[in-house]
């Protein structure tokens, strides 16, 4: 076969199952204590300093990182378990999740020693929130069109320009920004961009809210006016950010958060349909369960291959493509299946609440972190079509 | 599911040499079959799951699934999977496998055979692949008065229909009326266990066939020129093939996971989830995937002379064997509902 796809049937090792029990006990305790409401915790109280600190205290943030930076040196598969259990419980992880998944690993690999020693331990303690400053008014999926400028000055850089659709910037302590430090070259249009660690307290940064259609505030516009970045806040190579982007992407694309974001809908659907289903309900649930099982097995497989040092780039892009389409369709399919549910079904109110939110949240799932169109382009390239 | 075992390599070699779809399409008759079968049998592929002392090759469960993936990748129009499954069933009752092709049943939800007190078998089986042409049949039957038995029947003298499936492979109804078996022995497996094993077999074959049609689609898109460039350069075609890759990947992961669960001796609940989910999801992928491949290939893919139909017709047929997507989904959904909403995630996460 010219187009070999590999999905080894990876099983999570025993230490993961022990860890899973600990995580479930912790989540049950927190729910009982009222720290968050099951199934809607990730919706309303998604950003919780108190909860993130407790997670940090358990050693479940940055858990794969070196101990000298506050990590636990545990395996990527163990992190997988923590991520999926939190996601399924819809726990409020917004404060630390981006830092844990991608900002921390980027700093770990390319950050200066001073920055690593200062910031990484605080991420691990669940104290700092990160945002990602990539998109701009004229640069979305086409990342390399970014024009926000960083100009060299004495001891650092002056940044001018605007980032947009920046999730959580209003809560963030730091942002990892992609700024233009040189013009692109004829040979390489990706040349000339540099990643910076941005301290959000820096003078010259304004965060303006952009309210989403759900009424929630997540997006922001971030405006830089002569904001000063010290030299040791440059992450990696000046003008060479394009070389740094690829290795983390497989982790970012294939995780459990790429198909479990609306999983709470399935839980409440099973509950609202009840123990005695008609054929239509049974078939609907059966297909959804088969689909999510297959997705999870794909995602665990990619995690296992990454853990073993392989680079399943195409496989990871496929997990995100198929996974986000599934989690996006889930609310609509639940709506169809629940059409004839009786008025007095026990969790009817809870079901309607999660449906009201999930239906409106669904469109973003195939946009954030790489659109369906971009992913299919990557898959097509992997297949040898481009 | 790795394809790096010696058994899998042998299967690839034999199928490439003797069952190449292009050569078969060019041959226009069935003359290739006898020679191909003797090679397959000689290499021990068709009795991979039968222990040495019962006349088989004594290969691992994983090796048998690797052979099955290859039967899908080559759309093998011979009863390799059927004989493999029949041998597995016979071995579950300690019955030796004969040489030659075998068929296996029941393969449809609700079909049942009975063994009378005198030892004869009666009942009706539908949708038995390759029954016509097989030398023997391996069947599961209920004993009158309780218990289950596996029986080996000679095909000679049986009332076997002459129906064919969409690919032209035999897919037959068999009526048994007080038929004397060659052997009948008690077994520890039930009808559900046979349906599950058959479903896992078909899921793996479908995953292999999906790999093949993805390959065919990609090659064709890179070769076929329209509007002055290979159609692979059109984004609409790229995105269709990316979707086909997604369906293929999902099928490989689901079928591979089910096969691994069987090979690893997973418990009954785990096997039910893994195999039911695989048959459902791979069956869905077969339908979606075949449609996309045909769209990419256009008119040529709809002809006898092109090999695509050898894969897509079998994909359509294999979906129906040993429980369709809908049938398994009703069973799986009913079980999930009975266990309750809060038991669902723990069940998924345990795999």
């Amino acid at each position: 076969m010219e187009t070999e796809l590999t999905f080894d049937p990876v099983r999570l090792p025993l230490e993961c199952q022990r860890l899973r029990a600990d995580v479930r006990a912790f989540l049950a305790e927190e729910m009982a204590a009222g720290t968050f409401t099951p199934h809607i915790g990730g919706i309303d109280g998604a950003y919780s300093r108190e909860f993130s600190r407790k997670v940090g205290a358990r050693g479940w943030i940055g858990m794969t990182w070196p101990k000298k930076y506050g990590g636990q040196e545990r395996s990527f598969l163990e992190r997988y378990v923590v991520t999926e259990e939190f996601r399924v419980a819809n726990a409020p992880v917004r404060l630390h999740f981006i830092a844990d998944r991608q900002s921390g690993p980027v700093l770990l690999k390319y950050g200066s020693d001073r920055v690593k020693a200062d910031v990484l331990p605080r991420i691990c303690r669940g104290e700092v929130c990160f945002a990602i400053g990539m998109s701009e008014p004229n640069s979305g999926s086409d990342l390399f069109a970014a024009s926000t400028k960083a100009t060299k000055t004495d001891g650092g850089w002056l940044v001018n320009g605007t980032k947009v659709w920046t999730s959580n910037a209003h809560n963030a302590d730091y942002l990892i920004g992609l700024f233009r430090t040189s013009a692109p070259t004829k040979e390489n249009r990706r040349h000339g961009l540099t990643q910076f660690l941005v301290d959000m307290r820096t003078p010259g940064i304004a965060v303006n809210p952009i309210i989403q259609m759900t009424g929630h505030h997540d997006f922001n516009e971030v405006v830089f006016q002569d904001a000063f970045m010290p030299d040791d806040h440059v992450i990696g190579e000046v003008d060479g950010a394009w070389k740094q982007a690829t290795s983390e992407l497989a982790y970012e694309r294939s995780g459990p958060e790429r198909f479990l974001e609306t999983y709470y809908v399935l839980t409440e659907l099973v509950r609202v349909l009840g123990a005695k289903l008609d054929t239509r309900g049974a078939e609907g649930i059966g297909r959804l369960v088969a689909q999510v099982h297959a997705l999870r097995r794909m995602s665990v497989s990619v995690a296992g291959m990454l853990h073993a040092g392989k680079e399943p780039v195409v496989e990871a892009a496929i997990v995100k493509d198929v996974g986000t389409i599934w989690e996006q369709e889930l609310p609509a399919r639940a709506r169809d299946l629940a059409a004839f549910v009786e008025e007095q079904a026990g969790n009817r109110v809870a079901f309607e609440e999660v449906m009201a939110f999930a239906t409106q949240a669904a469109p973003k799932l195939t946009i954030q972190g790489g659109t369906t169109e971009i992913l299919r382009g990557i898959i097509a390239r992997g297949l040898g079509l481009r | 599911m790795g394809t790096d075992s010696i058994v899998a390599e042998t299967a690839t070699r034999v199928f490439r040499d003797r069952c190449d779809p292009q050569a078969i399409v060019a041959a226009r008759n069935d003359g290739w079959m006898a020679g191909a079968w003797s090679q397959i049998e000689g290499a021990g592929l068709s009795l991979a799951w039968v222990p040495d002392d019962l006349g088989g090759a004594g290969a691992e469960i994983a090796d048998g699934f690797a052979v099955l993936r290859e039967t899908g990748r080559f759309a093998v129009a011979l009863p390799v999977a059927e004989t493999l499954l029949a041998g597995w069933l016979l071995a579950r009752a300690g019955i030796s496998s004969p040489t030659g092709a075998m068929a296996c049943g029941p393969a449809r939800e609700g079909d049942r055979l009975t063994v009378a007190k005198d030892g004869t078998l009666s009942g009706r089986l539908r949708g038995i692949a390759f029954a016509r042409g097989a030398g023997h049949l391996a069947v599961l039957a209920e004993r009158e008065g309780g218990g289950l038995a596996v029986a080996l029947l000679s095909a000679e003298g049986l009332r076997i229909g002459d129906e064919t499936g969409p690919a032209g492979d035999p897919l037959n109804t068999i009526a048994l009326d007080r038929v004397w078996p060659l052997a009948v022995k008690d077994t520890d497996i039930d009808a559900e266990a046979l349906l599950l094993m058959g479903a896992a077999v078909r899921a793996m074959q479908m995953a292999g066939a999906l790999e093949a049609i993805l390959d065919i689609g990609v090659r064709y898109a890179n070769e076929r020129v329209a509007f002055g460039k290979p159609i692979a350069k059109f984004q609409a075609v790229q995105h269709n093939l990316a979707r086909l890759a997604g369906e293929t990947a999902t099928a490989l992961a689901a079928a591979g996971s089910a096969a691994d669960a069987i090979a690893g001796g997973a418990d009954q609940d785990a096997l039910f989830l893994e195999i039911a989910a695989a048959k459902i999801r791979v069956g869905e992928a077969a339908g979606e995937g075949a449609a996309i491949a045909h769209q990419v290939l256009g008119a040529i893919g709809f002809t006898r002379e092109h090999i695509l139909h050898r894969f897509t017709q079998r994909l359509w047929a294999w979906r129906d064997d040993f429980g369709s997507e809908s049938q398994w989904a009703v069973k799986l959904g009913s079980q999930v509902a009975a266990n309750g909403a809060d038991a669902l995630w723990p069940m998924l996460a345990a795999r």
Side-chain angles (χ1 to χ4, degrees):
Chain A
M1 300 272 148
E2 284 179 12
T3 52
E4 194 84 41
L5 296 167
T6 305
F7 288 92
D8 300 335
V10 173
R11 304 285 170 195
L12 296 172
L14 197 62
E15 65 267 22
C16 286
Q17 302 302 350
R18 281 195 290 266
L19 174 61
R20 189 187 298 285
D22 292 345
V23 175
R24 283 183 185 166
F26 167 77
L27 287 169
E29 242 170 67
E30 293 303 313
M31 284 182 221
T35 316
F36 70 99
T37 315
H39 308 307
I40 57 166
I43 299 171
D44 284 331
Y47 176 92
S48 165
R49 289 212 168 262
E50 183 196 356
F51 185 78
S52 288
R53 268 171 215 236
K54 285 182 183 172
V55 177
R58 295 280 175 143
W60 293 336
I61 305 174
M63 60 193 287
T64 63
W65 306 349
K67 287 186 176 162
K68 73 167 175 171
Y69 296 126
Q72 306 290 325
E73 300 180 8
R74 297 181 82 160
S75 77
F76 185 73
L77 295 176
E78 289 176 292
R79 180 183 174 275
Y80 189 98
V81 166
V82 172
T83 307
E84 68 175 353
E85 288 295 329
F86 278 31
R87 187 64 50 168
V88 163
N90 216 356
V93 298
R94 290 299 300 278
L95 185 147
H96 68 259
F97 187 68
I98 293 298
D100 177 59
R101 182 179 70 190
Q102 61 198 94
S103 314
V106 167
L107 291 178
L108 196 58
K109 198 155 180 191
Y110 302 107
S112 67
D113 289 341
R114 199 192 63 77
V115 160
K116 283 195 280 194
D118 171 32
V119 179
L120 293 175
R122 288 191 284 138
I123 293 177
C124 292
R125 291 198 296 270
E127 292 169 3
V128 288
C129 178
F130 269 72
I132 304 167
M134 294 228 189
S135 296
E136 296 184 9
N138 294 308
S139 161
S141 289
D142 183 9
L143 219 55
F144 299 105
S147 65
T148 296
K149 255 196 183 138
T151 314
K152 193 74 188 86
T153 183
D154 198 22
W157 303 74
L158 285 177
V159 176
N160 283 283
T162 303
K163 292 289 176 184
V164 79
W165 321 131
T166 314
S167 285
N168 230 4
H170 58 301
N171 290 318
D173 302 285
Y174 294 99
L175 173 147
I176 291 189
L178 187 68
F179 303 137
R180 183 152 296 287
T181 41
S182 306
T185 59
K186 257 192 192 146
E187 302 75 45
N188 186 3
R189 68 179 289 267
R190 300 184 295 177
H191 172 86
L193 292 165
T194 305
Q195 281 186 296
F196 285 82
L197 173 69
V198 178
D199 185 334
M200 293 301 281
R201 293 168 307 182
T202 307
I205 300 177
V207 177
N208 306 316
I210 302 172
I211 303 302
Q212 295 178 346
M213 67 182 195
T214 56
H216 287 79
H217 175 199
D218 179 35
F219 285 161
N220 298 276
E221 175 193 65
V222 184
V223 182
F224 297 86
Q225 277 185 311
D226 284 335
F228 177 77
M229 307 288 140
D231 275 326
D232 68 358
H233 278 212
V234 169
I235 304 171
E237 196 179 317
V238 172
D239 293 339
W242 61 276
K243 297 177 200 165
Q244 292 159 213
T246 49
S247 59
E248 278 79 25
L249 284 176
Y251 286 90
E252 193 203 319
R253 289 195 182 121
S254 62
E257 71 277 14
R258 296 309 189 187
F259 60 96
L260 292 175
E261 184 145 344
T262 55
Y263 179 85
Y264 54 87
V265 170
L266 180 57
T267 311
E268 293 311 308
L269 174 67
V270 174
R271 207 186 310 282
V272 84
L273 290 180
K276 285 188 182 145
L277 291 167
D278 61 10
T279 307
R280 177 175 178 269
E283 178 175 0
I285 295 285
R287 284 185 188 256
L288 289 169
V289 169
Q291 289 155 359
V292 71
H293 166 79
L295 278 166
R296 183 171 176 280
R297 297 297 300 134
M298 288 171 88
S299 169
V300 171
S301 176
V302 173
M305 291 190 278
L306 288 165
H307 178 68
K310 300 179 192 172
E311 286 185 12
V313 175
V314 177
E315 284 84 350
I318 287 174
V319 170
K320 183 166 188 268
D321 181 24
V322 181
T324 52
I325 297 276
W326 184 83
E327 63 183 8
Q328 181 172 69
E329 284 176 354
L330 179 57
R333 293 171 67 188
R335 176 175 171 273
D336 286 346
L337 289 170
F340 304 105
V341 163
E342 284 169 22
E343 213 38 60
Q344 57 269 35
N347 68 322
R348 203 191 162 94
V349 173
F351 178 73
E352 283 173 1
E353 264 175 29
V354 299
M355 284 296 290
F357 182 80
T359 301
Q360 292 201 60
K364 74 169 182 177
L365 301 173
T366 52
I367 298 169
Q368 60 189 7
T371 65
T372 303
E373 290 77 5
I374 292 291
L375 291 169
R376 290 187 180 163
I378 292 164
I379 298 164
R381 192 185 303 282
L383 294 174
L385 296 167
R386 298 177 63 186
Chain B
M1 180 67 30
T3 48
D4 45 2
S5 78
I6 294 170
V7 180
E9 276 172 28
T10 306
T12 310
R13 184 169 42 75
V14 173
F15 296 156
R16 195 173 44 219
D17 292 351
R18 312 301 301 234
C19 308
D20 175 63
Q22 198 63 62
I24 289 169
V25 164
R28 291 174 193 278
N29 65 49
D30 294 340
W32 60 276
M33 280 188 175
W37 179 260
S38 71
Q39 283 266 316
I40 291 164
E41 195 165 53
L45 300 176
S46 52
L47 294 180
W49 281 338
V50 176
D52 302 326
D53 59 344
L54 294 176
E60 303 288 329
I61 287 286
D63 288 330
F65 277 110
V67 172
L68 290 162
R69 182 172 170 183
E70 296 302 318
T71 65
R73 283 176 158 198
F74 287 89
V76 173
L78 290 168
V80 181
E82 292 70 19
T83 306
L84 204 65
L85 186 63
W88 172 84
L89 179 64
L90 292 173
R92 298 304 299 259
I95 300 174
S96 292
S97 283
T99 54
M102 289 191 279
C104 184
R108 291 284 185 270
E109 191 81 40
D111 283 4
R112 54 193 280 270
L113 298 178
T114 52
V115 189
K117 289 259 158 56
D118 66 0
T120 59
L121 275 87
S122 299
R124 187 164 170 275
L125 299 175
R126 298 166 296 163
I128 304 298
F130 289 97
R132 184 164 276 264
H136 295 86
L137 247 70
V139 297
L140 184 72
E142 293 168 25
R143 283 194 190 275
E144 213 174 70
L148 284 146
V150 170
L152 176 67
L153 308 174
S154 168
E156 214 171 312
L158 289 184
R159 276 165 46 209
I160 301 175
D162 63 357
E163 314 94 318
T164 54
D169 299 333
L171 189 68
N172 313 114
T173 307
I174 306 172
L176 300 178
D177 184 17
R178 301 183 59 76
V179 173
W180 289 98
L182 299 173
V184 57
K185 284 188 180 176
D186 287 339
T187 183
D188 57 347
I189 67 164
D190 58 11
E192 179 87 353
L194 175 59
L195 273 185
L196 285 168
M197 194 66 182
V201 164
R202 285 291 190 254
M204 185 58 81
Q205 291 183 281
M206 286 191 276
L210 280 160
E211 287 184 277
I213 65 172
L214 174 61
D215 215 48
I216 291 167
V218 168
R219 277 172 205 257
Y220 181 80
N222 277 323
E223 286 164 5
R224 172 70 178 167
V225 173
F227 304 101
K229 54 185 174 183
I231 61 169
K233 300 300 165 201
F234 291 97
Q235 206 172 43
V237 175
Q238 290 174 359
H239 286 199
N240 268 346
L241 285 168
R243 276 178 55 225
L244 175 53
E247 293 302 304
T248 303
T250 312
L252 280 172
S257 183
D260 175 69
I262 296 167
D267 66 38
Q268 216 160 358
D269 286 348
L271 284 180
F272 174 71
L273 169 66
E274 289 266 12
I275 299 171
K279 191 64 167 46
I280 295 164
R281 188 60 187 87
V282 178
E284 291 176 342
E288 286 289 315
I292 297 168
H294 276 291
Q295 186 66 26
V296 171
L297 270 87
I300 190 70
F302 205 64
T303 62
R304 290 302 289 180
E305 70 177 274
H306 196 280
I307 62 170
L308 181 64
H309 70 276
R310 297 192 67 83
F311 297 90
T312 54
Q313 289 174 331
R314 289 187 175 83
L315 281 169
W316 291 319
W318 288 338
R319 291 181 304 179
D320 292 334
D321 296 339
F322 303 100
S324 67
E325 301 93 282
S326 295
Q327 288 169 332
W328 280 114
V330 168
K331 282 200 233 180
L332 179 57
S334 301
Q335 198 200 344
V336 166
N339 293 344
D342 295 319
L344 175 57
W345 175 249
M347 175 181 84
L348 292 167
R351 299 308 303 155

